[in-house]
Amino acid sequence: MRKMDALWAYQEAEVAKASVEAEIRSTPARLKLNKLHKQLKTQQGVITKLGEDIETYEQQLNKLTDQVEKLEERLEVESGELVTIRQDDESTAEEMTELKRDIERLSREIAQAVREAKSLATEIEQATAEYQKTIRAASVAKKEYDTLRVECEKERESRADELAKHDAKLESLGKQVDQTLLARYEQVKLHHAVPIARVINSKCGGCNMSLPMVMLKKIATTDGIVECENCGRILYSGEQ
């Protein structure tokens, strides 16, 4: 067997195995499993984000609660001072006015902090509800995913013998292929799923570019690798 014929036979065996694997990957159960996998991944991302948001909101709420408590303590002290000043005949109107301003400012700050705390409480409530809803949905999806995964494993197992035969054929053909050619084949495969293209009507069967006569003669007379100048595929001129 010519070197290029052996390499071509190896590629055909790879293509045949790939076709079986593609069929396994494209069954209704497998397609649904892939969809559920993406859904679960998205849901997990949402759950993580919501959990982080809730934790942040709770920290902010705790901070505001502490702030309100301290402001209320100050307000209580200054309100007591106002009562004392009013009872003190020696207190000036200026002192009383300044103290009233401080009390009004503290009252505004407390009111603002309370509003922010209520808003945060609402955010926590909504985020918690969404968090729990997403967890429930993810739980349902996970059960369906686990069931489908078992089904997909059975589907693959049902074709295990077929895949094993392809593997055995590839192993046998691989021993017949020139290892230098095989190494180059694997390099081209990094860019083209099917590395070898048959020459059809003086054109590359991969990119359909017309091949010059010099190259056609080289392909016909050389039992080695000749690559398409346009797409880089290995060219093969064996009989169809």
Side-chain angles (χ1 to χ4, degrees):
M1 181 184 290
R2 295 171 67 247
K3 291 180 181 180
M4 284 302 298
D5 291 337
L7 189 60
W8 176 261
Y10 182 83
Q11 175 175 276
E12 287 190 314
E14 275 203 332
V15 170
K17 180 187 175 183
S19 176
V20 173
E21 290 179 328
E23 289 174 4
I24 294 172
R25 290 194 302 270
S26 60
T27 64
R30 175 62 66 176
L31 293 175
K32 191 169 184 179
L33 184 72
N34 293 339
K35 184 178 180 179
L36 278 172
H37 178 75
K38 293 178 181 178
Q39 179 181 326
L40 282 167
K41 190 174 181 180
T42 299
Q43 288 172 330
Q44 188 56 53
V46 171
I47 290 169
T48 299
K49 179 64 167 56
L50 286 171
E52 292 172 349
D53 288 346
I54 291 170
E55 183 177 357
T56 299
Y57 293 151
E58 288 178 341
Q59 289 174 352
Q60 292 174 348
L61 182 58
N62 290 335
K63 186 176 179 180
L64 276 172
T65 301
D66 290 341
Q67 181 182 338
V68 169
E69 289 179 355
K70 291 176 181 178
L71 287 171
E72 287 177 339
E73 288 174 0
R74 288 175 57 191
L75 179 62
E76 184 178 354
V77 170
E78 297 203 11
S79 295
E81 289 180 0
L82 180 61
V83 172
T84 301
I85 287 176
R86 282 173 174 170
Q87 295 173 349
D88 187 352
D89 294 336
E90 296 182 1
S91 298
T92 64
E94 184 179 343
E95 289 176 330
M96 189 173 294
T97 299
E98 183 65 27
L99 192 54
K100 285 181 179 179
R101 286 175 182 169
D102 286 343
I103 291 174
E104 289 174 357
R105 177 178 54 78
L106 285 171
S107 297
R108 288 195 299 271
E109 290 180 3
I110 290 172
Q112 178 61 30
V114 169
R115 285 194 295 271
E116 291 179 7
K118 288 181 179 179
S119 177
L120 278 171
T122 300
E123 293 285 356
I124 291 172
E125 183 180 353
Q126 292 175 345
T128 300
E130 186 64 25
Y131 180 86
Q132 293 172 344
K133 177 183 176 182
T134 306
I135 284 181
R136 289 193 295 270
S139 177
V140 172
K142 182 63 166 61
K143 290 178 182 178
E144 186 177 3
Y145 177 87
D146 290 340
T147 300
L148 278 170
R149 185 172 60 180
V150 172
E151 183 179 342
C152 289
E153 288 173 355
K154 289 180 179 179
E155 287 179 346
R156 188 170 187 85
E157 287 172 4
S158 69
R159 305 194 70 172
D161 290 344
E162 188 177 357
L163 288 170
K165 289 179 181 178
H166 284 293
D167 286 334
K169 185 174 182 179
L170 278 168
E171 184 179 358
S172 175
L173 288 171
K175 295 175 182 177
Q176 302 175 41
V177 177
D178 180 280
Q179 295 305 299
T180 301
L181 268 63
L182 184 60
R184 182 56 190 160
Y185 171 90
E186 294 296 341
Q187 289 177 347
V188 176
K189 192 176 178 182
L190 295 174
H191 306 285
H192 301 287
V194 181
I196 308 176
R198 188 187 289 276
V199 176
I200 303 173
N201 296 326
S202 301
K203 296 180 179 180
C204 169
C207 66
N208 205 38
M209 186 190 82
S210 296
L211 303 171
M213 187 58 64
V214 174
M215 182 173 285
L216 290 170
K217 288 182 178 179
K218 185 177 181 181
I219 296 168
T221 58
T222 301
D223 189 17
I225 288 179
V226 178
E227 297 176 10
C228 175
E229 295 177 348
N230 184 53
C231 66
R233 291 181 175 85
I234 299 168
L235 296 169
Y236 176 68
S237 62
E239 295 182 3
Q240 297 185 38

